[in-house]
Amino acid sequence: MPSATGFRQTMKGLAAAAGAIFGSAKPPDASTKKEVRIGIALGGGFARGAAHIGVLRVLERNKIPIHCIAGVSAGAIVASAYASGSTLDETERLARAMRFKDVAGWSINILGLANSDRMDKFLDRALRVHRFEEMPIRLAIVASDLGNGRPIIFRDTGDVKNPIRASCSYPGLFQPVRLNGRLLVDGAITMDLPAEPLHSMGATHVIAVSLPTPLEVTDPGNLLGVVNRCFQILQRRTEEEWRKYSTLVLEPDVARVSWDGFEQASEMIAAGEAAAEAALPVIKGWMKSGHV
């Protein structure tokens, strides 16, 4: 019969062998969990883009930290202004005073009716810094390559203003922007809402702000209205693509505002605030958990 000492040594050996085979039953290491990082994706909508200011104001007021932000078309302007460190009050003042002539000059060309040269000075007022690497908040701008039909994502380094101009170059209205050997147009053509790039920038949760359009239009009014309505219909058919990358979708009630309704900025900002306020319980729930 083995001694007590021999028995204890045998049991220790068996325990060590079992540990080597099956592994230890340690609880999950909390350090391996990801910290909540919120990314904001801002869609296009011409004048309706003022609603984005209201959304950002509610998040800022409630101390919701934003890890990164991305935009297309009008959303690119608001996203860039915010990422650059401009205050929302400053951006709101610009939005209230903004008119089409501030960013476009009629210059009929076989590629478009207007150029966006004036947008350069407008962006000088809207942005505090003009390079991606200088942005206090990580920023991505999406434009569309007219040659290969793919989205071009600008981020991390380089000039910001030309990518914004490209992202806002609505086909037919604005002449395309030639940049780095490519002919670029409105980012919303290939990526209606830039939710996907935010994940590669470190976001664990993406809030997508979509600016709704009318479900039905009886009279588009003019040539630009016809083109605009055609794009609205096409973009509804691609909605599923960007939604699958979005944790939460906000839709400010701005569908009744026309594409050039710049004078209704106050109404659109209020709509953005209302949409964000309604979503606050969900967003605060993410922050309360702290990790994903």
Side-chain angles (χ1 to χ4, degrees):
M1 188 172 184
S3 67
T5 302
F7 179 76
R8 285 195 296 270
Q9 289 175 339
T10 301
M11 294 306 293
K12 284 181 181 179
L14 289 172
I21 295 170
F22 298 108
S24 60
K26 291 181 180 178
D29 185 355
S31 66
T32 63
K33 294 182 179 180
K34 289 184 179 179
E35 180 185 352
V36 171
R37 292 180 174 179
I38 296 176
I40 309 292
L42 304 182
F46 281 95
R48 289 190 294 270
H52 294 315
I53 299 170
V55 171
L56 293 171
R57 174 164 285 136
V58 169
L59 297 178
E60 189 175 88
R61 185 187 302 146
N62 286 273
K63 297 180 171 55
I64 305 296
I66 296 175
H67 174 71
C68 50
I69 190 167
V72 297
S73 199
I77 297 176
V78 178
S80 299
Y82 192 71
S84 77
S86 294
T87 68
L88 291 171
D89 286 344
E90 291 170 338
T91 305
E92 179 176 346
R93 283 194 292 272
L94 274 177
R96 288 177 181 278
M98 183 181 177
R99 294 296 181 266
F100 185 71
K101 63 180 177 58
D102 294 324
V103 295
W106 297 112
S107 176
I108 297 176
N109 181 286
I110 58 173
L111 297 179
L113 300 175
N115 63 54
S116 58
D117 294 346
R118 294 181 183 177
M119 191 178 291
D120 196 70
K121 289 184 178 180
F122 177 82
L123 293 174
D124 281 338
R125 302 198 304 274
L127 277 60
R128 288 195 176 181
V129 294
H130 302 116
R131 295 187 63 81
F132 283 98
E133 63 267 29
E134 296 172 346
M135 296 283 166
I137 297 174
R138 292 192 72 189
L139 169 70
I141 300 297
V142 181
S144 300
D145 189 326
L146 202 57
N148 61 27
R150 296 173 184 167
I152 302 293
I153 300 169
F154 295 91
R155 48 174 272 199
D156 298 331
T157 61
D159 169 70
V160 170
K161 292 195 292 183
N162 281 327
I164 296 173
R165 286 180 56 207
S167 187
C168 293
S169 293
Y170 196 79
L173 175 58
F174 286 106
Q175 296 156 22
V177 172
R178 193 173 294 278
L179 188 59
N180 300 330
R182 302 175 184 271
L183 208 55
L184 306 179
V185 295
D186 197 317
I189 304 303
T190 53
M191 192 178 289
D192 192 21
L193 235 149
E196 183 180 1
L198 293 169
H199 290 281
S200 65
M201 295 167 72
T204 59
H205 296 68
V206 171
I207 300 173
V209 187
S210 174
L211 304 178
T213 56
L215 292 176
E216 188 173 333
V217 172
T218 54
D219 180 9
N222 54 42
L223 172 63
L224 294 179
V226 171
V227 174
N228 187 47
R229 185 57 181 165
C230 289
F231 279 112
Q232 289 173 356
I233 294 168
L234 287 171
Q235 286 167 353
R236 279 207 204 114
R237 300 171 69 92
T238 62
E239 211 172 295
E240 187 178 328
E241 179 65 22
W242 59 261
R243 280 183 179 270
K244 70 184 181 184
Y245 294 105
S246 306
T247 317
L248 178 66
V249 177
L250 306 186
E251 297 185 296
D253 183 15
V254 295
R256 63 185 176 278
V257 180
S258 67
W259 68 273
D260 59 348
F262 295 101
E263 69 283 353
Q264 294 175 266
S266 297
E267 179 184 338
M268 291 181 285
I269 291 169
E273 290 182 342
E277 288 283 359
L280 268 179
V282 174
I283 300 169
K284 286 183 175 180
W286 302 341
M287 304 311 301
K288 189 175 181 180
S289 68
H291 293 86
V292 291

